[in-house]
């Protein structure tokens, strides 16, 4: 049907699959629910490659009732599958320079990310961060600056919530993806996306410092230094200045922490050197 570009029939099939997935979710049949989630994803990816934009948007929206029922039934693995599916569809849409479906997929993931992090659902949070990162990287490769910027902001927000909930692994993943997207944005001269990556890294780093997440704080500083280096090379000075200010803020936080907590071992400036993370 995708090959024939019969959008009406494709949407009918998608609607049926979504209704069936909701039925299985209500019955607690997580394995069958995940199988249908995968079928829907395959149609969405194929539609993206065929540039059937309306079908891609509909595919994304058909996941909504499945996700709601999966939340009710506490089916974390099904929610992880939905997050990864949205990431793949959004990535494929971005690869075809279809901004609307990529933005919708990222927005859905952002909402899921906030809920997952606040409810301390670790596996789902990491999956959402990964999916947002994949969309963000694809948007950056296609130089779709506005959507890339909003996707980076959503990724940063999920990373901040993860750090505040002491999900250090999730925060680390967000930081590494922000670094990758930020450096990619600089290469494409996408100033706003690069600046948003830097600001998000600074915010995650501050929360990590407050929560005592040593690895996440170290990664934030290292990522900021990496972006700073690349932005100087590319003469993207605004991102460079922001990164410089962020690193100075971390130094000030460290000095303050030493004054308030003299009994703790000093981390010193070693946290700002290249660590191989």
């Amino acid at each position: 049907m995708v090959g024939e570009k019969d959008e009406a029939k494709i949407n009918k099939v998608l609607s049926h699959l979504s209704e069936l997935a909701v039925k299985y979710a209500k019955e607690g049949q997580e394995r069958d629910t995940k199988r249908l989630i995968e079928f829907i994803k395959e149609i969405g990816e194929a539609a993206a490659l065929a540039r059937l934009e309306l079908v891609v948007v509909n595919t994304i929206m058909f996941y909504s009732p499945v996700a709601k029922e999966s939340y009710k039934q506490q089916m974390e693995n099904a929610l992880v599958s939905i997050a990864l599916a949205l990431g793949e569809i959004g990535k494929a849409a971005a690869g075809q320079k279809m901004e609307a479906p990529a933005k919708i997929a990222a927005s859905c993931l952002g909402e899921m990310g906030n809920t997952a992090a606040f409810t301390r659902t670790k596996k789902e949070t990491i999956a959402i961060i990964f999916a947002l990162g994949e969309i963000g990287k694809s948007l950056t490769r296609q130089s779709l600056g506005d959507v890339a910027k909003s996707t980076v902001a959503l990724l940063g927000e999920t990373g901040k919530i993860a750090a505040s909930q002491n999900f250090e692994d999730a925060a680390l993943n967000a930081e590494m993806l922000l670094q990758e997207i930020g450096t990619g944005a600089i290469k494409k001269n996408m100033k706003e996306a690069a600046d948003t990556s830097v600001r998000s890294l600074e915010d995650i780093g501050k929360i990590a410092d407050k929560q005592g997440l040593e690895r996440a704080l170290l990664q934030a500083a290292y990522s900021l230094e990496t972006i700073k280096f690349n932005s100087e090379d590319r003469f993207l000075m605004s991102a460079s200045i922001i990164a410089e200010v962020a690193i100075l803020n971390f130094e000030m936080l460290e000095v303050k922490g030493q004054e308030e907590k003299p009994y703790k071992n000093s981390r010193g400036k070693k946290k700002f050197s290249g660590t191989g993370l």
Side-chain angles (χ1 to χ4, degrees):
M1 290 179 187
V2 171
E4 295 170 357
K5 298 192 175 184
D6 192 334
E7 296 189 16
K9 286 185 179 179
I10 298 167
N11 286 327
K12 190 174 181 180
V13 170
L14 285 168
S15 177
H16 175 69
L17 290 173
S18 177
E19 290 172 5
L20 201 55
V22 170
K23 175 179 177 292
Y24 284 141
K26 284 180 179 178
E27 295 171 356
Q29 298 185 49
E30 189 165 26
R31 186 174 178 179
D32 288 329
T33 305
K34 286 175 61 181
R35 185 165 53 89
L36 288 163
I37 290 166
E38 183 68 18
F39 289 159
I40 294 169
K41 183 201 82 172
E42 290 173 2
I43 295 170
E45 284 186 290
L49 293 175
R51 298 193 59 78
L52 300 176
E53 188 165 353
L54 184 58
V55 174
V56 181
V57 170
N58 287 338
T59 303
I60 294 165
M61 301 310 295
F62 277 126
Y63 276 124
S64 180
V66 185
K68 287 178 182 177
E69 194 58 44
S70 297
Y71 273 120
K72 288 180 185 176
Q73 301 298 325
Q74 298 183 334
M75 293 166 55
E76 184 179 6
N77 290 328
L79 290 166
V80 167
S81 294
I82 291 171
L84 295 175
L86 287 171
E88 289 297 318
I89 295 168
K91 176 183 175 181
Q96 296 297 316
K97 294 192 174 185
M98 291 191 293
E99 296 188 36
K103 186 173 184 178
I104 293 169
S107 296
C108 292
L109 285 165
E111 290 182 19
M112 290 179 70
N114 288 342
T115 303
F118 275 124
T119 56
R120 305 182 64 81
T121 314
K122 190 171 184 179
K123 194 193 305 186
E124 185 190 348
T125 304
I126 291 174
I128 289 163
I129 286 170
F130 175 80
L132 281 168
E134 288 298 297
I135 295 174
K137 287 188 287 184
S138 185
L139 288 165
T140 303
R141 283 192 291 269
Q142 298 298 328
S143 299
L144 300 174
D146 289 341
V147 190
K149 176 188 172 184
S150 63
T151 302
V152 167
L154 291 168
L155 173 58
E157 188 63 29
T158 304
K160 286 187 284 184
I161 297 170
S164 71
Q165 296 295 318
N166 290 323
F167 287 173
E168 189 164 25
D169 288 343
L172 281 165
N173 275 286
E175 288 169 336
M176 288 186 281
L177 286 164
L178 286 165
Q179 175 189 321
E180 189 175 352
I181 295 169
T183 53
I186 286 165
K187 290 176 182 177
K188 294 283 189 177
N189 291 326
M190 295 163 60
K191 172 184 171 293
E192 292 186 352
D195 288 353
T196 303
S197 297
V198 168
R199 290 191 178 95
S200 296
L201 281 164
E202 182 185 6
D203 290 342
I204 295 172
K206 286 180 178 179
I207 295 169
D209 186 64
K210 183 178 178 182
Q211 298 294 106
L213 305 177
E214 297 284 342
R215 290 186 300 145
L217 177 60
L218 203 66
Q219 182 63 52
Y222 175 78
S223 295
L224 286 166
E225 283 191 327
T226 302
I227 292 175
K228 177 178 178 291
F229 175 80
N230 280 277
S231 58
E232 285 176 342
D233 282 352
R234 293 279 171 175
F235 307 106
L236 224 172
M237 291 309 296
S238 59
S240 178
I241 291 167
I242 291 169
E244 186 70 51
V245 171
I247 292 169
L248 288 172
N249 284 341
F250 282 130
E251 289 175 345
M252 291 171 67
L253 282 169
E254 181 60 23
V255 170
K256 183 180 177 183
Q258 288 174 5
E259 291 173 349
E260 293 177 351
K261 304 172 186 177
Y263 58 90
K264 287 195 174 184
N265 289 332
S266 173
R267 285 167 287 179
K269 289 192 178 182
K270 288 187 285 186
K271 68 183 180 184
F272 300 113
S273 62
T275 61
L277 289 178

